[in-house]
Amino acid sequence: MKKYVEIGIISLLILVLLLMSGCGTTESGGVISWNNTSSVSEEMVMLTGDAPIVLGSLDTHGIEVNVPANAFEVPTEVALMPLEEEVEVDSSVFKPAGGLYRFEIRGDQPRSDVPLEITIKVDEKILQKAQETEGFRAVHYTNEYGWTYVKPLAIDLTAHTLTFETYHNNWWGAAELSEDERTTLQINDISRRQWITSQIDGEMEALTKEIVDEMLIGAFDQHNTDIATMIAKEVTQEIINDLTLTITSDSGSETKVGVGTSIGMMDNVLNGDYAALSTTIAMETGKALSKRLSNESLGEELGTGLKHAGVVAQSLGAISEGDFIGASKHISEFVIGESKVLKAGQLAVKVVDKKISNWRDTEIEKAYQIYLNGTESWLPWGYNVEAGDFESLFTQMRGVAHKVQADALERYAFQRDIHVDDIPADVANDIRNQASKDLEEQFELRKQQESEIEKLRKNNEYVMERIKDWKLMDRGRSYFPDDYPVELQIERIFGQINKVMHDTSRNNVIYDMSYPFELQEDQVELEQILDAIFTRYTDGEEAYWERLKELGLIEDRERYVDRFAFQPDVELTDGNGLVNVLMESNILPFNDALRSLGTITVDQNDQFSASGSHSKSLDFTASNGEQFNWSFEVDNITLEGQFMDNDINEKVHGTGRFSANYTAVLTSHYEGEILGESFTTNREFVFHTTLSGTMDIKSSGAFKDKLFVTMEAESNATSGSLTTRRTSSRGDVSETTDSNYPVSAYIPKTMGSYDETHQFMILR
C-alpha cells in the first residue's frame, strides 16, 4: 500500500497535469465539442427598469432570463446572443446537458443589485438516465478561471429545466458533473469547513464558557456561585478538548481541527441555531458534571452547591450502577430547566459571527478569488479590480455585498429578538460597515492561510483514497445504493470517522500506516477507523463494537456508549370548542400521555423502550352553556423500537411498536327550560380503550433536532357505556328518567382508526 507522502506527490503531479489541460479529475474521458443546441439565432436585447422583464423563451430559445424590477441602479441593456465560438470540454470533468448560451449585461454596471434568475432547458434523455440529480450544475466559462459551477435553485424533472441565480454575464449552460469531479468539489468543501472550524476555536471556547457559566449559575445556589464559576472553567475545558482532534502526519507534524460537527455544535453555529447549540452544550455539561460526581470529594462539593440535592442523589445512584449516561441525563435536564438562556431559546452571541463566512456561497468564493488574484478586465464575473483592493471589490460586488450586510442585520435582530426595521438607522449603518470589515478580515485571513487549507485538502484527499481502498465508495452495496448522491456518501463517511473517535474517546488521528510508536490513549490510526466503519456497514452494530474491542480501542463497551435521547414535544390546548376534538379523536389522551415517558435513551444497539402512565382532567363550557368535564387515565403506555442508519450528520430512521390502555370519562351537565318545563340533564360517557400498533420514526433534516413518530393502530379495542339521568318538572310535578346502555356500535364511528404523527425533540 502507498503511504501518505507518496500519494500526496502523485496527486500533486496529476493536479498540475490537469490544470495544464484545463481539467479537474482523474476519471477517464476525452475532449469533446459542446454540440450547441441553442435556439438563439440572433441577438435579443431588452432594457431593464422599474418593472420586471423576461429575456428569451424556454419554448422558443431553450433559455429564459428573469430580471427583477430595479435590478440595476440605472436602466441597463441585457442581451442574449448567438455563441459563435467552438467550445471544447473534457468529458471526464462534465458532460453537456443542453444548449450553451451567451448572456451579456451592457453599460457601466456589469453586476446586478439583486440576483437574476436564469432557467435553461435540459436534455430530457440525460435527465431520465440519471440515477439522481445532485450532479447537475449551471456551468460558465472565463479565460482566467476556466469552467466554474453554480448549484441550481431547482431542477424540474417534468419540464426538464434547471434554474439558477447569477449577478453577472457569461457563457451559460447546463451540465452533469462526473463523480470524480463531484468528489473533488466535496473534499474542497470539507477542507474549507475544517479550516473555518480551526479559526474559531477561541470563539467557540468563549461561547461555550458563556453558556456553561449561565447554566451553572442558574443551577447553583446563589451563595455558591464561586463553586459554579470554578466548575464552569473545568467543564468548558473538558468540552473544548472533546471538540478537537489532532492530525499527525508521516513527518510527525500535528494539525488541530475542530470536530464539533460530530455532535452538531459546529452545524448549529454555522446555521445560527444558538438554541440547539445551547442544548448540546447543556448535555455535554451534564456529562462532565457526572464524571465529577463519581469522585467522592467532588460529589460532596457539588451536593452543597446545587439547588436541589435530589438531582445529585439521582445521579449518584445512576453512577453507582455504572450508568454515566443516566447520570448525565439527570444533571443536564436539571441544568436545562434552570437556565433562563435555554428557556428563551436565544443567545446574544457576539463573538462567533465575526470569523464565519459562508464559503459555500459561489459568489463569495468568486469575490475572494478576485481579491486574491485581481483582474484587468470586466470579463471575469463582472469585476475589474487589483488584487487586495477590498474597498473597490466590495463596491463592485453590488447585490452580493447587499446580501452580506442584510444577513448581518438579520443576525443582529435575531439575537435581540427584534425586527430589522426596529434597528436604529445609525446602528444599522454601523452594522453594515462592520459586515464589510468582517468580510475583508475573513478574506485576508484566508489569503494568509491558503497553505493551511491546502494541507487539509491534501490530507482529505489521502483519506478519500483510503476510503475508496476500503470499498466504502463502491456503488451498488447496501450502504451506497446507486441513487445515493456521492456528496452525501462522502459526508456520511467523514461523519463516521468522527463517530468512531467519539465512541472511543480519541481525538488524535494517526495517518501513517507504518507508525512505529505505541499508540497513546488519545490516538487512533486511520486504518483502524476505516476498519471499524467497514465492519459496521457490512456486519452491523454488534460486530462494530466487537471490532473496536479487538482493535484495542475500547476496554469496556458500556463505558463508551453515548448514543442520543429524545423526549416528547407535544402541546395540549384547553378551552371551548374542544368537544368535537374530544369526541372525534382518541388522540387527546395519547398526546398528553406521551409526556409521561420523559426522556427516552437510545442504547448502544440503537434500541429503546419506554413506559409510563398519566391522568388529566379538563373542564370547559360549550357555546350553549352546557358544562363538560373530560378526564382520562392512561394506566400504561409503552414504546419500543430500534433505529437504523443513525449515522451522525445524516438522517435517521427507526421502527417500533406501541401500546396503550386508558379509560376516559366525559360528563356533562345542562339546565334548561322548554315550553314551561324546566329540566336538568346529566350524562356520563365512559369508555375503555386498548391500542396497539406499529411506529415509523424519521428525523427532520440531517439528524438535527426533531423526530417524527407516526403511530398506526393494528388493533383498537374499545368498549363503553353511556348513562343519562334527566330530571324535569312542570309546576309541582317532577320526574326523573335514567337510561344506561352500551355504545359499542357507536364507538368505532366516533373513535375512528389511529394513525397520527407526534413530534419529539432530539437530545444529544
Side-chain angles (χ1 to χ4, degrees), residues 498-761:
N498 289 344
K499 169 184 161 51
V500 174
M501 291 189 296
H502 190 243
D503 288 343
T504 59
S505 296
R506 294 166 189 257
N507 62 0
N508 189 337
V509 181
I510 305 298
Y511 290 84
D512 184 357
M513 287 190 289
S514 302
Y515 191 66
F517 307 107
E518 184 177 348
L519 292 181
Q520 302 299 310
E521 287 187 0
D522 67 334
Q523 292 179 326
V524 57
E525 293 180 353
L526 176 64
E527 295 305 301
Q528 293 175 315
I529 293 175
L530 298 178
D531 187 334
I533 295 172
F534 183 77
T535 300
R536 184 171 187 265
Y537 281 164
T538 55
D539 300 327
E541 191 74 13
E542 200 67 36
Y544 162 76
W545 288 98
E546 287 301 317
R547 187 58 181 154
L548 290 180
K549 291 174 68 175
E550 291 170 2
L551 292 169
L553 297 177
I554 62 174
E555 297 174 2
D556 180 1
R557 171 178 167 178
E558 294 293 335
R559 177 183 171 191
Y560 295 96
V561 173
D562 183 12
R563 311 303 298 155
F564 62 94
F566 57 98
Q567 63 184 18
D569 182 33
V570 294
E571 293 184 0
L572 184 66
T573 304
D574 303 349
N576 296 335
L578 261 180
V579 179
N580 289 336
V581 175
L582 300 177
M583 295 299 293
E584 294 176 5
S585 172
N586 58 8
I587 308 276
L588 174 64
F590 221 79
N591 250 352
D592 215 32
L594 287 174
R595 293 186 184 279
S596 70
L597 299 175
T599 301
I600 305 167
T601 301
V602 181
D603 69 15
Q604 66 270 22
N605 297 315
D606 289 340
Q607 296 176 340
F608 67 89
S609 62
S611 61
S613 60
H614 189 70
S615 62
K616 184 153 186 171
S617 179
L618 300 175
D619 293 297
F620 47 92
T621 303
S623 57
N624 64 352
E626 188 170 3
Q627 301 292 316
F628 286 87
N629 173 265
W630 170 262
S631 64
F632 62 85
E633 181 175 355
V634 181
D635 55 43
N636 183 36
I637 176 173
T638 63
L639 305 180
E640 59 181 21
Q642 182 164 14
F643 286 91
M644 290 81 74
D645 297 329
N646 61 329
D647 298 339
I648 296 171
N649 293 334
E650 69 172 69
K651 294 182 180 180
V652 299
H653 175 255
T655 59
R657 298 194 60 79
F658 74 93
S659 65
N661 300 314
Y662 63 84
T663 300
V665 179
L666 179 66
T667 61
S668 67
H669 174 80
Y670 185 66
E671 297 180 359
E673 183 175 322
I674 300 178
L675 299 176
E677 180 181 12
S678 61
F679 63 90
T680 300
T681 302
N682 292 295
R683 290 191 176 92
E684 184 179 64
F685 179 25
V686 181
F687 59 88
H688 307 277
T689 298
T690 299
L691 279 173
S692 65
T694 60
M695 296 189 301
D696 184 68
I697 309 167
K698 294 180 180 178
S699 65
S700 63
F703 196 12
K704 293 290 185 184
D705 57 353
K706 288 182 174 60
L707 289 177
F708 297 95
V709 181
T710 301
M711 300 178 177
E712 184 170 354
E714 293 176 334
S715 64
N716 182 356
T718 305
S719 61
S721 63
L722 177 62
T723 301
T724 301
R725 168 167 285 194
R726 179 186 174 96
T727 301
S728 60
S729 61
R730 182 186 291 273
D732 296 332
V733 180
S734 178
E735 180 181 10
T736 298
T737 305
D738 292 330
S739 59
N740 190 338
Y741 51 89
V743 291
S744 299
Y746 178 65
I747 286 173
K749 179 180 178 182
T750 60
M751 300 306 295
S753 61
Y754 190 88
D755 182 4
E756 287 293 332
T757 299
H758 301 273
Q759 180 175 294
F760 290 75
M761 295 296 294

Side-chain angles (χ1 to χ4, degrees), residues 333-505:
E333 286 177 350
F334 173 70
V335 168
I336 290 172
E338 292 295 318
S339 172
K340 295 179 181 178
V341 171
L342 290 180
K343 287 178 179 176
Q346 296 182 26
L347 288 171
V349 180
K350 305 177 183 68
V351 293
V352 175
D353 290 329
K354 193 173 182 181
K355 288 188 179 177
I356 295 179
S357 176
N358 188 0
W359 291 104
R360 292 179 175 179
D361 188 316
T362 304
E363 290 296 332
I364 294 288
E365 181 66 27
K366 290 175 185 175
Y368 170 71
Q369 293 299 329
I370 296 297
Y371 177 78
L372 196 64
N373 303 305
T375 177
E376 297 179 356
S377 73
W378 289 104
L379 288 179
W381 310 316
Y383 292 110
N384 185 1
V385 63
E386 293 182 0
D389 183 358
F390 183 84
E391 184 176 351
S392 299
L393 175 69
F394 196 76
T395 300
Q396 293 179 21
M397 286 169 66
R398 306 293 302 197
V400 179
H402 300 334
K403 184 176 183 299
V404 169
Q405 294 173 328
D407 288 346
L409 290 169
E410 288 285 352
R411 286 196 299 272
Y412 181 92
F414 171 77
Q415 291 167 6
R416 288 153 181 81
D417 197 22
I418 61 175
H419 194 274
V420 171
D421 295 338
D422 297 331
I423 302 175
D426 58 334
V427 175
N429 191 53
D430 289 343
I431 293 170
R432 293 187 187 96
N433 291 335
Q434 189 61 48
S436 172
K437 292 178 182 177
D438 289 346
L439 187 61
E440 181 179 11
E441 180 182 315
Q442 292 159 20
F443 278 16
E444 186 59 30
L445 179 65
R446 179 172 165 186
K447 176 183 175 182
Q448 294 172 3
Q449 299 202 11
E450 280 292 340
S451 60
E452 295 301 317
I453 300 175
E454 181 64 12
K455 288 179 184 178
L456 290 171
R457 188 185 65 78
K458 286 184 177 180
N459 185 77
N460 289 326
E461 282 182 344
Y462 172 70
V463 173
M464 196 68 233
E465 290 301 318
R466 298 303 305 132
I467 287 172
K468 290 178 180 178
D469 287 346
W470 275 95
K471 303 187 183 303
L472 293 170
M473 296 298 296
D474 284 6
R475 280 200 180 274
R477 292 177 177 255
S478 59
Y479 51 82
F480 190 18
D482 290 333
D483 60 352
Y484 199 69
V486 66
E487 294 85 355
L488 293 183
Q489 180 69 358
I490 294 172
E491 287 287 334
R492 184 186 190 193
I493 301 300
F494 272 80
Q496 282 290 293
I497 291 173
N498 289 344
K499 169 184 161 51
V500 174
M501 291 189 296
H502 190 243
D503 288 343
T504 59
S505 296

